[in-house]
Amino acid sequence: MKGIFVSFEGIEGTGKSTQARLLSEYLTGKGLRVIKTEEPGGTRISLKIREILLSLDSRGMDHVTELLLYNASRSQHIKEVIMPALERGDVVITDRFSDSTVAYQGYGRDIDLKLIDSLDKISTGGLKPDITILLDIDVETGLRRNKEINKNDRLEQEDIVFHQKVRSGFIKIAEREPERVKMIDCFDGIDAVHKKVVDMVKGFLDKRISCKKTDRNAENSLQ
Ligand code: TMP
């Protein structure tokens, strides 16, 4: 695959959407072709699923129904938007991806992680981000920030214990996959976090470019 796949993850109120937008603007400014997208969403069908998932009318939704809907939305998103862009060689930046399902439905709802992994293989075909930026903040600050901007969907209405389980789930994912998942404390202001994000993504891009050069040298030495 020619493109680069970047995901942003984190609990509520970490400023993921802002950071995804700023990174997208930065990379576009450097001449790269960037697709910025989000989950659940990114396509007409996935947005309809998002509405069902986040509406306050959906209170009482069964946890397995919830898990299946997030996966359904992802499958559509990958086929319609993410894979075509990666095959064209674009940079895809998504605000949330599979790690959110592990953190919210796995650690938050206590659904078996092996079941989540099996379903993930079906909906993603094994596609994983090349780099994941995990924005971390304490739960109280995150929820307060979202209240201040009147963001209040079905998941945000969960109690504090749920959100704490989700946060520690994200931290466990980062500990398990330190190569892919880079954690940033986002208590600092937007600009300071953006600078850290750019440094991390630049580090990844430099490594990717030098690997490509090494591959080419190896090919040349074989000729
Ligand atoms: P947000 O992207 O606007 O924060 O809204 C998405 C909500 O859906 C957020 O509360 C996290 C939740 N979510 C899951 O529970 N599982 C998932 O797989 C994804 C992508 C999001």
Side-chain angles (χ1 to χ4, degrees), residues 180-206:
R180 173 177 69 86
V181 184
K182 309 290 178 197
M183 192 160 94
I184 297 179
D185 181 342
C186 65
F187 196 77
D188 300 336
I190 291 174
D191 292 345
V193 174
H194 173 57
K195 197 177 165 310
K196 288 185 194 162
V197 170
V198 167
D199 286 347
M200 278 172 183
V201 173
K202 254 172 68 194
F204 170 79
L205 290 176
D206 289 346

mmCIF file of all heavy atoms in Angstrom, residues 180-206:
data_model
loop_
_atom_site.group_PDB
_atom_site.id
_atom_site.type_symbol
_atom_site.label_atom_id
_atom_site.label_comp_id
_atom_site.label_asym_id
_atom_site.label_seq_id
_atom_site.Cartn_x
_atom_site.Cartn_y
_atom_site.Cartn_z
ATOM 1 N N ARG A 180 3.664 1.618 17.359
ATOM 2 C CA ARG A 180 2.589 2.264 16.592
ATOM 3 C C ARG A 180 1.916 3.398 17.358
ATOM 4 O O ARG A 180 1.604 4.445 16.790
ATOM 5 C CB ARG A 180 1.520 1.216 16.198
ATOM 6 C CG ARG A 180 0.293 1.828 15.551
ATOM 7 C CD ARG A 180 -0.705 0.786 15.100
ATOM 8 N NE ARG A 180 -1.390 0.075 16.158
ATOM 9 C CZ ARG A 180 -2.511 0.500 16.772
ATOM 10 N NH1 ARG A 180 -3.075 1.643 16.426
ATOM 11 N NH2 ARG A 180 -3.072 -0.232 17.737
ATOM 12 N N VAL A 181 1.678 3.192 18.646
ATOM 13 C CA VAL A 181 0.846 4.144 19.400
ATOM 14 C C VAL A 181 1.714 5.092 20.232
ATOM 15 O O VAL A 181 2.453 4.664 21.122
ATOM 16 C CB VAL A 181 -0.135 3.389 20.325
ATOM 17 C CG1 VAL A 181 -1.068 4.370 21.025
ATOM 18 C CG2 VAL A 181 -0.930 2.350 19.547
ATOM 19 N N LYS A 182 1.624 6.371 19.921
ATOM 20 C CA LYS A 182 2.428 7.387 20.616
ATOM 21 C C LYS A 182 1.490 8.247 21.463
ATOM 22 O O LYS A 182 0.532 8.833 20.939
ATOM 23 C CB LYS A 182 3.148 8.298 19.609
ATOM 24 C CG LYS A 182 3.924 7.540 18.542
ATOM 25 C CD LYS A 182 5.138 6.858 19.112
ATOM 26 C CE LYS A 182 5.894 6.075 18.079
ATOM 27 N NZ LYS A 182 6.825 5.117 18.647
ATOM 28 N N MET A 183 1.777 8.298 22.761
ATOM 29 C CA MET A 183 0.861 9.016 23.655
ATOM 30 C C MET A 183 1.368 10.437 23.920
ATOM 31 O O MET A 183 2.556 10.641 24.127
ATOM 32 C CB MET A 183 0.759 8.244 24.963
ATOM 33 C CG MET A 183 -0.360 8.719 25.832
ATOM 34 S SD MET A 183 -0.811 7.466 27.031
ATOM 35 C CE MET A 183 0.156 7.970 28.388
ATOM 36 N N ILE A 184 0.436 11.388 23.910
ATOM 37 C CA ILE A 184 0.778 12.790 24.201
ATOM 38 C C ILE A 184 -0.148 13.296 25.295
ATOM 39 O O ILE A 184 -1.366 13.165 25.191
ATOM 40 C CB ILE A 184 0.591 13.687 22.947
ATOM 41 C CG1 ILE A 184 1.547 13.257 21.832
ATOM 42 C CG2 ILE A 184 0.784 15.157 23.278
ATOM 43 C CD1 ILE A 184 1.409 14.072 20.548
ATOM 44 N N ASP A 185 0.447 13.878 26.331
ATOM 45 C CA ASP A 185 -0.351 14.495 27.384
ATOM 46 C C ASP A 185 -0.897 15.801 26.810
ATOM 47 O O ASP A 185 -0.124 16.673 26.406
ATOM 48 C CB ASP A 185 0.563 14.772 28.590
ATOM 49 C CG ASP A 185 -0.200 15.401 29.730
ATOM 50 O OD1 ASP A 185 -1.311 15.932 29.492
ATOM 51 O OD2 ASP A 185 0.304 15.370 30.869
ATOM 52 N N CYS A 186 -2.229 15.916 26.727
ATOM 53 C CA CYS A 186 -2.748 17.106 26.038
ATOM 54 C C CYS A 186 -3.322 18.126 27.008
ATOM 55 O O CYS A 186 -4.212 18.881 26.652
ATOM 56 C CB CYS A 186 -3.721 16.721 24.949
ATOM 57 S SG CYS A 186 -5.158 15.964 25.557
ATOM 58 N N PHE A 187 -2.763 18.165 28.199
ATOM 59 C CA PHE A 187 -3.210 19.186 29.154
ATOM 60 C C PHE A 187 -2.710 20.559 28.688
ATOM 61 O O PHE A 187 -3.363 21.567 28.917
ATOM 62 C CB PHE A 187 -2.696 18.852 30.558
ATOM 63 C CG PHE A 187 -3.426 19.616 31.616
ATOM 64 C CD1 PHE A 187 -4.707 19.220 32.005
ATOM 65 C CD2 PHE A 187 -2.871 20.745 32.190
ATOM 66 C CE1 PHE A 187 -5.407 19.937 32.956
ATOM 67 C CE2 PHE A 187 -3.573 21.470 33.144
ATOM 68 C CZ PHE A 187 -4.833 21.060 33.533
ATOM 69 N N ASP A 188 -1.538 20.559 28.006
ATOM 70 C CA ASP A 188 -0.978 21.828 27.489
ATOM 71 C C ASP A 188 -1.901 22.395 26.410
ATOM 72 O O ASP A 188 -2.806 21.710 25.943
ATOM 73 C CB ASP A 188 0.393 21.587 26.866
ATOM 74 C CG ASP A 188 1.370 21.024 27.879
ATOM 75 O OD1 ASP A 188 1.142 21.252 29.076
ATOM 76 O OD2 ASP A 188 2.334 20.342 27.470
ATOM 77 N N GLY A 189 -1.594 23.593 25.959
ATOM 78 C CA GLY A 189 -2.449 24.253 24.962
ATOM 79 C C GLY A 189 -2.382 23.588 23.593
ATOM 80 O O GLY A 189 -1.536 22.721 23.344
ATOM 81 N N ILE A 190 -3.291 24.033 22.725
ATOM 82 C CA ILE A 190 -3.437 23.453 21.381
ATOM 83 C C ILE A 190 -2.116 23.502 20.597
ATOM 84 O O ILE A 190 -1.702 22.518 19.986
ATOM 85 C CB ILE A 190 -4.538 24.225 20.606
ATOM 86 C CG1 ILE A 190 -5.900 23.933 21.236
ATOM 87 C CG2 ILE A 190 -4.547 23.849 19.125
ATOM 88 C CD1 ILE A 190 -7.049 24.726 20.665
ATOM 89 N N ASP A 191 -1.405 24.654 20.657
ATOM 90 C CA ASP A 191 -0.181 24.802 19.850
ATOM 91 C C ASP A 191 0.915 23.863 20.315
ATOM 92 O O ASP A 191 1.620 23.262 19.498
ATOM 93 C CB ASP A 191 0.326 26.255 19.915
ATOM 94 C CG ASP A 191 -0.631 27.189 19.206
ATOM 95 O OD1 ASP A 191 -1.491 26.680 18.451
ATOM 96 O OD2 ASP A 191 -0.545 28.411 19.420
ATOM 97 N N ALA A 192 1.053 23.737 21.648
ATOM 98 C CA ALA A 192 2.107 22.863 22.187
ATOM 99 C C ALA A 192 1.839 21.415 21.786
ATOM 100 O O ALA A 192 2.758 20.678 21.405
ATOM 101 C CB ALA A 192 2.155 22.999 23.705
ATOM 102 N N VAL A 193 0.573 21.002 21.839
ATOM 103 C CA VAL A 193 0.237 19.622 21.461
ATOM 104 C C VAL A 193 0.480 19.434 19.963
ATOM 105 O O VAL A 193 1.052 18.426 19.543
ATOM 106 C CB VAL A 193 -1.227 19.288 21.846
ATOM 107 C CG1 VAL A 193 -1.621 17.911 21.332
ATOM 108 C CG2 VAL A 193 -1.416 19.356 23.362
ATOM 109 N N HIS A 194 0.081 20.432 19.158
ATOM 110 C CA HIS A 194 0.275 20.332 17.705
ATOM 111 C C HIS A 194 1.754 20.131 17.371
ATOM 112 O O HIS A 194 2.113 19.306 16.530
ATOM 113 C CB HIS A 194 -0.264 21.589 17.020
ATOM 114 C CG HIS A 194 0.039 21.656 15.552
ATOM 115 N ND1 HIS A 194 -0.339 20.672 14.663
ATOM 116 C CD2 HIS A 194 0.727 22.578 14.810
ATOM 117 C CE1 HIS A 194 0.082 20.984 13.446
ATOM 118 N NE2 HIS A 194 0.736 22.127 13.509
ATOM 119 N N LYS A 195 2.626 20.864 18.089
ATOM 120 C CA LYS A 195 4.075 20.750 17.818
ATOM 121 C C LYS A 195 4.545 19.308 18.098
ATOM 122 O O LYS A 195 5.298 18.722 17.321
ATOM 123 C CB LYS A 195 4.804 21.758 18.709
ATOM 124 C CG LYS A 195 6.195 22.020 18.228
ATOM 125 C CD LYS A 195 6.908 23.080 19.055
ATOM 126 C CE LYS A 195 8.406 23.041 18.767
ATOM 127 N NZ LYS A 195 9.000 21.719 18.855
ATOM 128 N N LYS A 196 4.045 18.748 19.215
ATOM 129 C CA LYS A 196 4.447 17.365 19.547
ATOM 130 C C LYS A 196 3.932 16.390 18.490
ATOM 131 O O LYS A 196 4.617 15.452 18.107
ATOM 132 C CB LYS A 196 3.898 16.970 20.924
ATOM 133 C CG LYS A 196 4.603 17.648 22.072
ATOM 134 C CD LYS A 196 4.077 17.107 23.393
ATOM 135 C CE LYS A 196 4.496 17.998 24.550
ATOM 136 N NZ LYS A 196 3.710 17.789 25.750
ATOM 137 N N VAL A 197 2.698 16.619 18.023
ATOM 138 C CA VAL A 197 2.112 15.742 16.997
ATOM 139 C C VAL A 197 2.971 15.793 15.734
ATOM 140 O O VAL A 197 3.342 14.757 15.168
ATOM 141 C CB VAL A 197 0.654 16.171 16.667
ATOM 142 C CG1 VAL A 197 0.128 15.437 15.440
ATOM 143 C CG2 VAL A 197 -0.262 15.931 17.867
ATOM 144 N N VAL A 198 3.322 17.014 15.317
ATOM 145 C CA VAL A 198 4.117 17.173 14.092
ATOM 146 C C VAL A 198 5.465 16.465 14.251
ATOM 147 O O VAL A 198 5.909 15.741 13.359
ATOM 148 C CB VAL A 198 4.310 18.674 13.753
ATOM 149 C CG1 VAL A 198 5.385 18.881 12.700
ATOM 150 C CG2 VAL A 198 2.988 19.255 13.269
ATOM 151 N N ASP A 199 6.118 16.634 15.411
ATOM 152 C CA ASP A 199 7.420 15.972 15.637
ATOM 153 C C ASP A 199 7.288 14.463 15.492
ATOM 154 O O ASP A 199 8.122 13.808 14.884
ATOM 155 C CB ASP A 199 7.958 16.294 17.040
ATOM 156 C CG ASP A 199 8.485 17.720 17.099
ATOM 157 O OD1 ASP A 199 8.650 18.337 16.024
ATOM 158 O OD2 ASP A 199 8.709 18.218 18.219
ATOM 159 N N MET A 200 6.222 13.909 16.070
ATOM 160 C CA MET A 200 6.047 12.451 16.013
ATOM 161 C C MET A 200 5.797 11.974 14.595
ATOM 162 O O MET A 200 6.373 10.994 14.150
ATOM 163 C CB MET A 200 4.876 12.022 16.897
ATOM 164 C CG MET A 200 5.310 11.919 18.321
ATOM 165 S SD MET A 200 3.916 11.646 19.380
ATOM 166 C CE MET A 200 4.782 11.664 20.943
ATOM 167 N N VAL A 201 4.916 12.684 13.895
ATOM 168 C CA VAL A 201 4.580 12.246 12.530
ATOM 169 C C VAL A 201 5.784 12.446 11.615
ATOM 170 O O VAL A 201 6.082 11.586 10.776
ATOM 171 C CB VAL A 201 3.325 12.989 12.012
ATOM 172 C CG1 VAL A 201 3.071 12.688 10.549
ATOM 173 C CG2 VAL A 201 2.117 12.582 12.850
ATOM 174 N N LYS A 202 6.536 13.537 11.818
ATOM 175 C CA LYS A 202 7.732 13.777 11.005
ATOM 176 C C LYS A 202 8.746 12.654 11.235
ATOM 177 O O LYS A 202 9.335 12.134 10.302
ATOM 178 C CB LYS A 202 8.367 15.117 11.384
ATOM 179 C CG LYS A 202 8.098 16.154 10.310
ATOM 180 C CD LYS A 202 8.486 17.518 10.608
ATOM 181 C CE LYS A 202 9.714 18.159 10.781
ATOM 182 N NZ LYS A 202 9.686 19.473 11.362
ATOM 183 N N GLY A 203 8.919 12.271 12.502
ATOM 184 C CA GLY A 203 9.837 11.177 12.843
ATOM 185 C C GLY A 203 9.446 9.912 12.098
ATOM 186 O O GLY A 203 10.281 9.220 11.512
ATOM 187 N N PHE A 204 8.125 9.651 12.067
ATOM 188 C CA PHE A 204 7.643 8.454 11.381
ATOM 189 C C PHE A 204 7.894 8.557 9.874
ATOM 190 O O PHE A 204 8.385 7.614 9.248
ATOM 191 C CB PHE A 204 6.142 8.257 11.656
ATOM 192 C CG PHE A 204 5.563 7.188 10.801
ATOM 193 C CD1 PHE A 204 5.743 5.854 11.118
ATOM 194 C CD2 PHE A 204 4.886 7.503 9.628
ATOM 195 C CE1 PHE A 204 5.251 4.854 10.296
ATOM 196 C CE2 PHE A 204 4.395 6.516 8.796
ATOM 197 C CZ PHE A 204 4.570 5.198 9.141
ATOM 198 N N LEU A 205 7.579 9.731 9.302
ATOM 199 C CA LEU A 205 7.748 9.902 7.846
ATOM 200 C C LEU A 205 9.219 9.772 7.449
ATOM 201 O O LEU A 205 9.549 9.134 6.458
ATOM 202 C CB LEU A 205 7.210 11.268 7.393
ATOM 203 C CG LEU A 205 5.693 11.437 7.444
ATOM 204 C CD1 LEU A 205 5.296 12.859 7.074
ATOM 205 C CD2 LEU A 205 5.002 10.454 6.505
ATOM 206 N N ASP A 206 10.124 10.365 8.261
ATOM 207 C CA ASP A 206 11.558 10.274 7.959
ATOM 208 C C ASP A 206 12.001 8.816 7.934
ATOM 209 O O ASP A 206 12.733 8.390 7.056
ATOM 210 C CB ASP A 206 12.387 11.034 9.006
ATOM 211 C CG ASP A 206 12.197 12.542 8.855
ATOM 212 O OD1 ASP A 206 11.656 12.955 7.806
ATOM 213 O OD2 ASP A 206 12.564 13.282 9.786
#
